Amino acid sequence: MFKQKVFSGVQPTGNLHLGNYLGAIKKFVELQKSHDCIYCVVDMHAITVWQDPAELPRATREVTSAFIACGIDPKKHIVFNQSQVSGHAELAWIFNCVARMGWLNRMTQFKEKAGKDRENASVGLYVYPNLMAADILVYRATHVPVGDDQKQHLELSRDIAQKFNNDFSASIQAHGHGEAFFPLPEPLIQGPATRVMSLRDGAKKMSKSEPSDYSRINLTDDADAIAQKIRKAKTDPEPLPSEEKGLEPRPEADNLVGIYAALADVTKADVLHEHGGAQFSVFKAALVELAVAKLGPIGAEMKRLVADPAYIDSVLADGSVRAQALAVETMQAVKDIVGFIRH
Ligand code: AQP
């Protein structure tokens, strides 16, 4: 009933890392072959926590350059920054009135990010998932490639779409939109690296905001930095197991095997078939070689692209115009459905 369409976003909040690449951007690239795709630099999400206005444009261009360097084609698909398409904020407001407090109170990311100082967190951080639902649904997107950490937010997006469809059912039909106006967007969370962990602690997610740079591989790291970080990555003294089951009680080993598998486009079982029984010194050397071969060209291309901000800005401007045209169409229908008079 709904045309298949892909939407996803990345926040311009700091160092893009291997988790962002394997959990999200690499999938974005693959989906271009089979779907119409819209990829967004979500600058409005970024300001839910303080961002230096002098730094935000650089970070926005860096994410855009990563999209392109990883292989996203901004001509065939749409690449833009969220703040330039007003439909995101407009639909988010309507969703603020659809989503329930009880739903948002269950969001674990808010609890983690607000920490103990909840009273001092921005209201934007609290309603972040409503804006995320609006990002997806303003294009009536059906599929959303994300890392495992976004699963709960995607479930909330589906709940919001469902409640909107139910609450406004009569009006949706009266305006000729059939049974349901919004699709229930499906998360695409697949493969061996949906949750890449810190290189220093197998229990923590690899993250942009972690103070230790040794916890992550940044997409702009050069070969020496990649090699050093992998060599210093925390491991245990045992050799690699030959079966996946043997990784279960060993989060650091599991993480490195998952990274290897995702970079090589094979399964963890394939990696263990080849490297089972190897000492970490040997396996890490193979991982360094693979990571440098895969990430080196991306980092070099990102550096080349960020040196040309006029080109990056032209990509975002072009994408914003095309995204705006799609979002306006949805918002006109939404305003009719909700009962707003349009002039
Ligand atoms: N460690 C990860 N493993 C797999 N996927 C990940 N993603 C993030 N971290 C991992 C996925 O990357 C996409 C973009 O993430 P984001 O920038 O929108 O938000 P984030 O999750 O807040 O990123 P960070 O690095 O974790 O930032 P901080 O440190 O601020 O919390 C999303 O699809 C996300 O799932």
Side-chain angles (χ1 to χ4, degrees), residues 301-338:
E301 182 63 0
M302 278 176 70
K303 281 186 195 132
R304 193 186 72 76
L305 287 166
V306 291
D308 188 356
Y311 167 69
I312 297 290
D313 291 2
S314 74
V315 166
L316 292 174
D318 174 62
S320 299
V321 170
R322 284 154 58 217
Q324 174 79 358
L326 299 173
V328 162
E329 212 177 294
T330 306
M331 287 315 297
Q332 286 180 346
V334 166
K335 286 174 188 173
D336 291 342
I337 290 166
V338 171

Short mmCIF file of all heavy atoms in Angstrom, two decimals, residues 301-338:
data_model
loop_
_atom_site.label_atom_id
_atom_site.label_comp_id
_atom_site.label_asym_id
_atom_site.label_seq_id
_atom_site.Cartn_x
_atom_site.Cartn_y
_atom_site.Cartn_z
N GLU A 301 39.06 10.49 1.42
CA GLU A 301 38.03 11.18 0.63
C GLU A 301 37.28 12.21 1.47
O GLU A 301 36.96 13.31 1.00
CB GLU A 301 37.06 10.14 0.02
CG GLU A 301 35.98 10.69 -0.88
CD GLU A 301 36.46 11.40 -2.15
OE1 GLU A 301 37.69 11.48 -2.38
OE2 GLU A 301 35.59 11.88 -2.89
N MET A 302 37.03 11.88 2.74
CA MET A 302 36.37 12.85 3.63
C MET A 302 37.22 14.10 3.76
O MET A 302 36.72 15.23 3.71
CB MET A 302 36.14 12.24 5.02
CG MET A 302 34.91 11.38 5.11
SD MET A 302 34.77 10.60 6.73
CE MET A 302 34.36 12.01 7.78
N LYS A 303 38.53 13.90 3.94
CA LYS A 303 39.43 15.06 4.08
C LYS A 303 39.39 15.92 2.83
O LYS A 303 39.38 17.14 2.89
CB LYS A 303 40.85 14.60 4.39
CG LYS A 303 40.98 14.22 5.86
CD LYS A 303 42.41 13.88 6.25
CE LYS A 303 42.38 13.16 7.60
NZ LYS A 303 43.15 11.95 7.66
N ARG A 304 39.38 15.26 1.67
CA ARG A 304 39.34 16.02 0.41
C ARG A 304 38.03 16.81 0.31
O ARG A 304 38.02 17.98 -0.04
CB ARG A 304 39.45 15.02 -0.76
CG ARG A 304 39.73 15.65 -2.10
CD ARG A 304 39.68 14.62 -3.22
NE ARG A 304 38.35 14.15 -3.52
CZ ARG A 304 37.42 14.82 -4.20
NH1 ARG A 304 37.71 16.02 -4.66
NH2 ARG A 304 36.22 14.33 -4.40
N LEU A 305 36.94 16.17 0.69
CA LEU A 305 35.62 16.82 0.54
C LEU A 305 35.44 17.98 1.53
O LEU A 305 34.91 19.03 1.16
CB LEU A 305 34.51 15.79 0.73
CG LEU A 305 34.32 14.80 -0.42
CD1 LEU A 305 33.45 13.62 0.02
CD2 LEU A 305 33.69 15.48 -1.63
N VAL A 306 35.87 17.80 2.78
CA VAL A 306 35.65 18.89 3.75
C VAL A 306 36.49 20.11 3.41
O VAL A 306 36.18 21.22 3.84
CB VAL A 306 35.87 18.48 5.23
CG1 VAL A 306 34.82 17.53 5.71
CG2 VAL A 306 37.25 17.93 5.47
N ALA A 307 37.52 19.90 2.60
CA ALA A 307 38.33 21.04 2.17
C ALA A 307 37.60 21.87 1.11
O ALA A 307 38.08 22.92 0.69
CB ALA A 307 39.67 20.55 1.62
N ASP A 308 36.44 21.39 0.68
CA ASP A 308 35.67 22.11 -0.34
C ASP A 308 34.25 22.37 0.18
O ASP A 308 33.27 21.79 -0.29
CB ASP A 308 35.62 21.23 -1.61
CG ASP A 308 35.01 21.97 -2.80
OD1 ASP A 308 34.55 23.12 -2.63
OD2 ASP A 308 34.97 21.38 -3.90
N PRO A 309 34.13 23.29 1.18
CA PRO A 309 32.82 23.50 1.81
C PRO A 309 31.76 24.00 0.82
O PRO A 309 30.58 23.70 0.99
CB PRO A 309 33.08 24.54 2.90
CG PRO A 309 34.44 25.08 2.64
CD PRO A 309 35.19 24.09 1.82
N ALA A 310 32.19 24.70 -0.23
CA ALA A 310 31.20 25.21 -1.20
C ALA A 310 30.50 24.04 -1.89
O ALA A 310 29.28 24.08 -2.10
CB ALA A 310 31.89 26.11 -2.22
N TYR A 311 31.27 23.00 -2.20
CA TYR A 311 30.65 21.83 -2.85
C TYR A 311 29.68 21.14 -1.88
O TYR A 311 28.54 20.82 -2.24
CB TYR A 311 31.73 20.84 -3.32
CG TYR A 311 31.12 19.50 -3.69
CD1 TYR A 311 30.31 19.38 -4.82
CD2 TYR A 311 31.32 18.37 -2.89
CE1 TYR A 311 29.70 18.16 -5.14
CE2 TYR A 311 30.72 17.16 -3.20
CZ TYR A 311 29.91 17.07 -4.33
OH TYR A 311 29.31 15.87 -4.63
N ILE A 312 30.14 20.94 -0.63
CA ILE A 312 29.28 20.27 0.37
C ILE A 312 27.98 21.07 0.55
O ILE A 312 26.88 20.51 0.59
CB ILE A 312 30.02 20.16 1.73
CG1 ILE A 312 31.27 19.29 1.60
CG2 ILE A 312 29.09 19.63 2.81
CD1 ILE A 312 31.01 17.84 1.37
N ASP A 313 28.11 22.39 0.66
CA ASP A 313 26.92 23.22 0.87
C ASP A 313 25.98 23.13 -0.34
O ASP A 313 24.75 23.18 -0.18
CB ASP A 313 27.31 24.68 1.14
CG ASP A 313 28.01 24.82 2.51
OD1 ASP A 313 28.20 23.80 3.18
OD2 ASP A 313 28.36 25.95 2.88
N SER A 314 26.55 22.99 -1.52
CA SER A 314 25.69 22.90 -2.72
C SER A 314 24.93 21.57 -2.72
O SER A 314 23.77 21.52 -3.13
CB SER A 314 26.50 23.08 -4.01
OG SER A 314 27.26 21.92 -4.27
N VAL A 315 25.57 20.51 -2.23
CA VAL A 315 24.88 19.21 -2.11
C VAL A 315 23.71 19.34 -1.13
O VAL A 315 22.58 18.92 -1.42
CB VAL A 315 25.85 18.11 -1.61
CG1 VAL A 315 25.11 16.86 -1.16
CG2 VAL A 315 26.86 17.77 -2.70
N LEU A 316 23.97 19.98 0.03
CA LEU A 316 22.91 20.12 1.04
C LEU A 316 21.77 21.01 0.54
O LEU A 316 20.59 20.73 0.80
CB LEU A 316 23.50 20.69 2.35
CG LEU A 316 24.47 19.77 3.09
CD1 LEU A 316 25.11 20.50 4.27
CD2 LEU A 316 23.76 18.51 3.59
N ALA A 317 22.13 22.07 -0.18
CA ALA A 317 21.10 22.99 -0.69
C ALA A 317 20.20 22.26 -1.70
O ALA A 317 18.97 22.34 -1.62
CB ALA A 317 21.76 24.21 -1.33
N ASP A 318 20.82 21.54 -2.59
CA ASP A 318 20.05 20.81 -3.61
C ASP A 318 19.15 19.75 -2.95
O ASP A 318 17.96 19.64 -3.27
CB ASP A 318 21.05 20.13 -4.58
CG ASP A 318 20.33 19.23 -5.57
OD1 ASP A 318 19.52 19.75 -6.35
OD2 ASP A 318 20.57 18.00 -5.54
N GLY A 319 19.72 19.02 -1.99
CA GLY A 319 18.94 17.98 -1.30
C GLY A 319 17.79 18.59 -0.50
O GLY A 319 16.69 18.03 -0.46
N SER A 320 18.04 19.76 0.11
CA SER A 320 17.00 20.40 0.93
C SER A 320 15.81 20.81 0.07
O SER A 320 14.66 20.65 0.49
CB SER A 320 17.57 21.63 1.66
OG SER A 320 18.61 21.23 2.52
N VAL A 321 16.08 21.33 -1.11
CA VAL A 321 14.98 21.74 -2.01
C VAL A 321 14.14 20.51 -2.39
O VAL A 321 12.90 20.56 -2.35
CB VAL A 321 15.54 22.43 -3.28
CG1 VAL A 321 14.46 22.63 -4.33
CG2 VAL A 321 16.19 23.76 -2.91
N ARG A 322 14.82 19.41 -2.70
CA ARG A 322 14.08 18.21 -3.12
C ARG A 322 13.33 17.58 -1.94
O ARG A 322 12.19 17.12 -2.08
CB ARG A 322 15.03 17.21 -3.76
CG ARG A 322 15.39 17.68 -5.19
CD ARG A 322 16.74 17.16 -5.66
NE ARG A 322 16.81 15.74 -5.66
CZ ARG A 322 17.89 15.00 -5.33
NH1 ARG A 322 19.00 15.59 -4.98
NH2 ARG A 322 17.86 13.72 -5.37
N ALA A 323 13.94 17.60 -0.76
CA ALA A 323 13.26 17.06 0.43
C ALA A 323 12.07 17.95 0.80
O ALA A 323 10.99 17.46 1.16
CB ALA A 323 14.24 16.98 1.60
N GLN A 324 12.27 19.25 0.70
CA GLN A 324 11.20 20.20 1.05
C GLN A 324 9.95 19.93 0.19
O GLN A 324 8.83 19.94 0.70
CB GLN A 324 11.72 21.63 0.84
CG GLN A 324 10.70 22.74 1.02
CD GLN A 324 10.42 23.07 2.49
OE1 GLN A 324 10.96 22.43 3.40
NE2 GLN A 324 9.56 24.03 2.72
N ALA A 325 10.15 19.68 -1.09
CA ALA A 325 9.01 19.45 -1.99
C ALA A 325 8.20 18.23 -1.52
O ALA A 325 6.97 18.26 -1.51
CB ALA A 325 9.50 19.26 -3.42
N LEU A 326 8.91 17.18 -1.09
CA LEU A 326 8.21 15.98 -0.61
C LEU A 326 7.51 16.24 0.72
O LEU A 326 6.36 15.82 0.94
CB LEU A 326 9.21 14.82 -0.43
CG LEU A 326 9.96 14.36 -1.68
CD1 LEU A 326 11.03 13.34 -1.31
CD2 LEU A 326 8.98 13.75 -2.68
N ALA A 327 8.20 16.96 1.61
CA ALA A 327 7.65 17.20 2.95
C ALA A 327 6.42 18.11 2.88
O ALA A 327 5.45 17.90 3.61
CB ALA A 327 8.72 17.81 3.85
N VAL A 328 6.44 19.08 2.00
CA VAL A 328 5.31 20.00 1.87
C VAL A 328 4.05 19.22 1.47
O VAL A 328 2.97 19.45 2.02
CB VAL A 328 5.62 21.11 0.83
CG1 VAL A 328 4.36 21.80 0.34
CG2 VAL A 328 6.58 22.14 1.43
N GLU A 329 4.24 18.29 0.57
CA GLU A 329 3.10 17.47 0.12
C GLU A 329 2.47 16.72 1.32
O GLU A 329 1.25 16.74 1.50
CB GLU A 329 3.61 16.47 -0.90
CG GLU A 329 2.62 16.11 -1.97
CD GLU A 329 3.26 15.17 -2.97
OE1 GLU A 329 4.21 15.60 -3.69
OE2 GLU A 329 2.85 14.02 -3.00
N THR A 330 3.32 16.10 2.13
CA THR A 330 2.80 15.39 3.31
C THR A 330 2.12 16.36 4.26
O THR A 330 1.04 16.09 4.79
CB THR A 330 3.94 14.65 4.06
OG1 THR A 330 4.63 13.83 3.14
CG2 THR A 330 3.41 13.82 5.21
N MET A 331 2.78 17.51 4.51
CA MET A 331 2.24 18.43 5.51
C MET A 331 0.92 19.04 5.09
O MET A 331 0.06 19.30 5.94
CB MET A 331 3.27 19.53 5.84
CG MET A 331 4.45 19.06 6.67
SD MET A 331 4.00 17.99 8.09
CE MET A 331 2.99 19.10 9.08
N GLN A 332 0.74 19.25 3.81
CA GLN A 332 -0.56 19.76 3.36
C GLN A 332 -1.66 18.76 3.69
O GLN A 332 -2.71 19.11 4.23
CB GLN A 332 -0.53 20.05 1.85
CG GLN A 332 0.27 21.32 1.55
CD GLN A 332 0.33 21.65 0.07
OE1 GLN A 332 0.00 20.83 -0.78
NE2 GLN A 332 0.78 22.85 -0.23
N ALA A 333 -1.38 17.50 3.42
CA ALA A 333 -2.37 16.45 3.73
C ALA A 333 -2.58 16.34 5.23
O ALA A 333 -3.72 16.24 5.70
CB ALA A 333 -1.90 15.12 3.14
N VAL A 334 -1.49 16.40 6.01
CA VAL A 334 -1.60 16.28 7.47
C VAL A 334 -2.45 17.43 8.03
O VAL A 334 -3.31 17.23 8.90
CB VAL A 334 -0.20 16.25 8.14
CG1 VAL A 334 -0.29 16.45 9.64
CG2 VAL A 334 0.50 14.93 7.83
N LYS A 335 -2.22 18.64 7.52
CA LYS A 335 -2.98 19.80 8.02
C LYS A 335 -4.46 19.63 7.72
O LYS A 335 -5.30 19.93 8.57
CB LYS A 335 -2.42 21.09 7.42
CG LYS A 335 -1.08 21.48 8.05
CD LYS A 335 -0.44 22.68 7.37
CE LYS A 335 0.97 22.88 7.92
NZ LYS A 335 1.72 23.91 7.20
N ASP A 336 -4.79 19.14 6.55
CA ASP A 336 -6.19 18.87 6.22
C ASP A 336 -6.77 17.83 7.18
O ASP A 336 -7.87 17.98 7.71
CB ASP A 336 -6.33 18.35 4.78
CG ASP A 336 -6.02 19.42 3.74
OD1 ASP A 336 -6.06 20.62 4.11
OD2 ASP A 336 -5.74 19.06 2.58
N ILE A 337 -5.99 16.76 7.40
CA ILE A 337 -6.48 15.66 8.25
C ILE A 337 -6.74 16.16 9.68
O ILE A 337 -7.73 15.83 10.31
CB ILE A 337 -5.46 14.49 8.23
CG1 ILE A 337 -5.48 13.82 6.85
CG2 ILE A 337 -5.75 13.49 9.33
CD1 ILE A 337 -4.30 12.88 6.59
N VAL A 338 -5.80 16.99 10.18
CA VAL A 338 -5.92 17.46 11.57
C VAL A 338 -7.03 18.51 11.70
O VAL A 338 -7.62 18.68 12.77
CB VAL A 338 -4.55 18.01 12.05
CG1 VAL A 338 -4.65 18.72 13.39
CG2 VAL A 338 -3.53 16.86 12.15
#
